[in-house]
Amino acid sequence: MVIGTRAQYVSEEDALKFVAGYCVVNDVSERACQFEMGSQWDKGKGFDTFGPVGPFLVTRDEIFDVQDLDLYLELNGKRMQTGNTANMVFTVAQIVSYVSRFMTLEPGDIITTGTPPGVGMGRTPQRFLKKGDKLRLGIAGLGEQQAEVVAFPK
């Protein structure tokens, strides 16, 4: 979700009024840095080119029900993740309300919410991205992204 209006201590009932709209974000993780260097999630998610946003912002009024959007990720043409926002642990309204209690949300701030089941680390056997892998991911009504994995700099 992308914040449209400054939000501090907003109620769950009013939370969606502070959302400008929604977009696709590719929640990329570099697991070696994430776990081998102290197990902090942010270290595995903050590299250059990670977390691409887009292809565009869909305004709040264009989405009938943000808690009923299908999402998917394909790796090299094979479906790896399928989900629906109805299965989110917390609703968008709950997330905006909760986060606004701990930090002021400003217009343009993006809150990402994670990924559907099927991540490579949770598979047996585990499957991690490698150079040349092609990703295609999207959310119904919000668009689609495509990316090719490049070598991780040492």
Side-chain angles (χ1 to χ4, degrees):
M1 64 217 72
V2 179
I3 300 301
T5 306
R6 187 173 224 236
Q8 286 181 296
Y9 305 100
V10 300
S11 69
E12 191 175 317
E13 296 73 35
D14 291 334
L16 294 183
K17 296 175 186 173
F18 295 85
V19 174
Y22 308 97
C23 57
V24 177
V25 177
N26 186 354
D27 184 22
V28 180
S29 297
E30 206 297 327
R31 302 296 188 191
C33 289
Q34 185 175 335
F35 292 112
E36 294 172 16
M37 297 179 173
S39 74
Q40 292 296 317
W41 288 96
D42 60 339
K43 284 190 273 187
K45 294 186 176 284
F47 289 96
D48 293 347
T49 74
F50 281 26
V53 176
F56 40 75
L57 172 73
V58 178
T59 58
R60 185 180 73 233
D61 63 311
E62 295 179 85
I63 300 299
F64 176 72
D65 183 358
V66 71
Q67 297 306 149
D68 187 23
L69 302 176
D70 291 326
L71 51 159
Y72 66 90
L73 180 135
E74 295 174 358
L75 174 61
N76 300 322
K78 180 181 176 191
R79 182 67 56 103
M80 303 295 279
Q81 295 176 266
T82 302
N84 186 288
T85 57
N87 298 321
M88 292 171 61
V89 175
F90 302 102
T91 67
V92 170
Q94 288 171 323
I95 293 167
V96 171
S97 175
Y98 182 78
V99 173
S100 77
R101 291 170 32 201
F102 303 101
M103 66 177 68
T104 301
L105 297 170
E106 299 286 354
D109 283 351
I110 297 172
I111 301 173
T112 59
T113 58
T115 187
V119 297
M121 186 176 76
R123 293 180 170 274
T124 304
Q126 291 182 323
R127 171 60 164 94
F128 298 104
L129 297 175
K130 61 184 183 300
K131 182 180 177 182
D133 280 344
K134 293 179 176 36
L135 299 168
R136 183 173 159 255
L137 61 138
I139 302 175
L142 303 185
E144 179 179 282
Q145 293 184 11
Q146 295 185 40
E148 183 172 334
V149 177
V150 297
F152 186 73
K154 300 286 179 186

